[in-house]
Every structure is written in structure tokens, then in C-alpha cells.
């Protein structure tokens, strides 16, 4: 019953960073999912797969896992580079590429 502690990445479908500041503790799947032959739904006997805990810091998540004796794996997020742009850069005369539609 290994747990994974990580900070979720920004999804490609949004421009904001909502729900990416908290750290999550999720359990790795212990059993494979099975497919129901009649309906085609997937099911699992692993109830820990439904548990998803949120913490403000990674230290709180680590302390929780250690306090409850849960083995864990910590994934450090890679921060994207900050590119400072202004709207006026679109019309600069020293652009690297020509501006076209």
C-alpha cells in the first residue's frame, strides 16, 4: 500500500493555476481493474484508490504518512520557467519572428 505525495500540475485546459498549490496524498493501485463483460464498466476491489487527501505543504503530508505508518514516495514538482511578457512586445520592432495572422 504505497502512497504517492505530489503537487498536481496545471491542466492544459485552463490558463489559471487553481488547485495546484496544495499537495496530495494518493495511494498507488494495489489491484488491477477488471472489466465487466456485460456493460464494459471497469471496477476494482481496491478501496484505497478512492482516497485522495490534500495538504497545504509537503511536510504536513509526509508527517501524516509517517504518523500512520504509510510508506510513501515524494515527487518534487518541476517549476516552469517564468517568462515575463507584455502586450507591447507583440509590436516591438526588434521581434525575432515577423508578426502575422
Amino acid at each position: 500500500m504505497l502512497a504517492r505525495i505530489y503537487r498536481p500540475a496545471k491542466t492544459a485546459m485552463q490558463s489559471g493555476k487553481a488547485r495546484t498549490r496544495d499537495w496530495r496524498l494518493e495511494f498507488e493501485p494495489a489491484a488491477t481493474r477488471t472489466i465487466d463483460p456485460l456493460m464494459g464498466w471497469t471496477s476494482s476491489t481496491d478501496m484505497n484508490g478512492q482516497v485522495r487527501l490534500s495538504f497545504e505543504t509537503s511536510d504536513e503530508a509526509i508527517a501524516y504518512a509517517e504518523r500512520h505508518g504509510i510508506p510513501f514516495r515524494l515527487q518534487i514538482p518541476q517549476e516552469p520557467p517564468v517568462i515575463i511578457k507584455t502586450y507591447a512586445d507583440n509590436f516591438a520592432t526588434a521581434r525575432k519572428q515577423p508578426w502575422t495572422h
Side-chain angles (χ1 to χ4, degrees):
M1 181 168 78
L2 181 68
R4 180 172 64 126
I5 298 174
Y6 69 100
R7 195 165 73 188
K10 184 181 90 161
T11 64
M13 302 303 291
Q14 67 183 6
S15 60
K17 293 186 178 183
R19 298 182 184 169
T20 61
R21 289 177 176 48
D22 289 341
W23 288 80
R24 286 212 181 131
L25 184 137
E26 290 182 355
F27 291 98
E28 296 287 333
T32 60
R33 295 185 179 269
T34 58
I35 298 175
D36 181 60
L38 178 63
M39 298 298 291
W41 297 340
T42 58
S43 63
S44 176
T45 58
D46 182 24
M47 290 295 138
N48 285 333
Q50 299 176 4
V51 177
R52 188 174 292 150
L53 302 173
S54 295
F55 299 93
E56 290 186 13
T57 64
S58 63
D59 295 332
E60 291 177 7
I62 292 171
Y64 178 86
E66 289 176 347
R67 185 170 52 242
H68 292 283
I70 301 170
F72 63 91
R73 182 181 64 201
L74 181 66
Q75 292 181 340
I76 305 296
Q78 293 181 344
E79 296 295 329
V82 178
I83 301 171
I84 300 173
K85 294 184 193 177
T86 62
Y87 181 69
D89 290 340
N90 292 330
F91 307 103
T93 57
R95 286 181 58 94
K96 294 179 182 176
Q97 297 176 353
W99 184 78
T100 60
H101 287 280

